[in-house]
Amino acid sequence: MTIESRERVRRYFDEFGNAEWDRLTGDVRGRVSLEIHRRFLARLVQQGDRVLEVGAGPGRFTIELAALGATVVVTDLSPVQLALNADHLRGTVSEAAVERREVLDVCDTSRYADGEFDLVLAYGGPLSYTFEHAEEAMRGLLRISRPGGLVVGSVMSLLGAWRHLLPGAVKVAERIGEDANDRILRTGDLRHEGGQGIDTHVCQMFRYRDLAALARAAGGEIVAASASNWASLGDLDALAALEADPSRWARFMEHEVAACQEPGALDGGTHILFAVRDQSYGS
């Protein structure tokens, strides 16, 4: 990540502030996404694991890691997000699971030893801001996970976001021109949109096949994946009616979580969740 792009991302999340805490609970789709992320993580974290949390933000998943019995080194590129993380965990049982908090660029994990962590968690899409340095970043995360350990994370989904946000995408295409829009849909690189303001969300979006290729190039392989969300990107009134009935909602969530893991659904959500293991493990 260049100094310029790192500062852009830092400023974006400094400005975003506590909205990052509310992002996964403010509406029904966000609450579904939170549950999908939570269940995916619960399959992979073991009691006693030492976890490096990259892009931890204000602490939604720091709390989940603590509840799963992990100890956590909490990191983020944004000092504001780290301060919010401390604020949200202060006085809770989760704070006891935190070893320390520190500013970290996902592209530079050189301060950590080989195999230092049982699992590395990069939820919230930190790899979506690394652009040409994505392979370097993934390789670094794999290096610091123990043999057999996992890098678990999420990236922004190109096709799922395009499907879900089509009206906005059409307006963007009208503004920037169809040639630039074609480049975005071909590459997933939102820098083709041309936004320069600190409030512009400039990131790299992925197809699942891109993510799999990235994992292979970095010496890893995807061992688990999920979309976030699937059916829950549909009609909001139908979702509200389901959520109002706890029994029906529980059934819906079971179906939704299963659907998000279907190969045909992996590109269909707003994010793609993944777990990557070093290819050399067990060879």
Side-chain angles (χ1 to χ4, degrees), residues 3 87 89 124 130 136 140 145 163 190 197 211 213 219 242 252 255 257:
I3 293 174
D87 288 345
L89 269 69
T130 58
E136 171 191 351
S145 61
R163 175 174 73 103
L190 292 188
L211 182 59
L242 286 167
F252 171 78
H255 292 305
V257 168

Side-chain angles (χ1 to χ4, degrees), residues 133-283:
H133 301 282
E135 181 182 332
E136 171 191 351
M138 179 70 85
R139 194 177 296 277
L141 298 180
L142 285 167
R143 179 189 66 81
I144 62 177
S145 61
R146 64 168 172 77
L150 297 171
V151 174
V152 179
S154 66
V155 292
M156 285 68 160
S157 171
L158 173 61
L159 297 181
W162 183 47
R163 175 174 73 103
H164 178 49
L165 302 172
L166 184 59
V170 169
K171 290 180 180 178
V172 168
E174 291 171 351
R175 176 171 59 82
I176 67 176
E178 293 296 343
D179 288 344
N181 188 59
D182 288 346
R183 287 193 291 273
I184 290 174
L185 289 173
R186 185 173 63 252
T187 67
D189 189 339
L190 292 188
R191 290 177 296 184
H192 293 301
E193 187 178 336
Q196 297 299 318
I198 65 170
D199 59 341
T200 302
H201 193 196
V202 179
C203 67
Q204 175 72 48
M205 308 187 85
F206 286 79
R207 291 175 170 84
Y208 178 76
R209 71 183 187 217
D210 302 328
L211 182 59
L214 171 62
R216 288 193 299 271
E221 59 180 345
I222 296 178
V223 296
S226 173
S228 176
N229 309 57
W230 179 247
S232 52
L233 294 181
D235 186 89
L236 282 173
D237 290 338
L239 282 173
L242 286 167
E243 191 179 31
D245 184 329
S247 177
R248 295 180 70 203
W249 187 247
R251 288 173 180 263
F252 171 78
M253 281 304 311
E254 291 295 329
H255 292 305
E256 176 76 335
V257 168
C260 284
Q261 296 173 38
E262 291 286 343
L266 293 177
D267 274 310
T270 58
H271 292 73
I272 305 170
L273 282 59
F274 64 86
V276 173
R277 177 175 286 136
D278 193 314
Q279 284 181 337
S280 65
Y281 175 69
S283 62

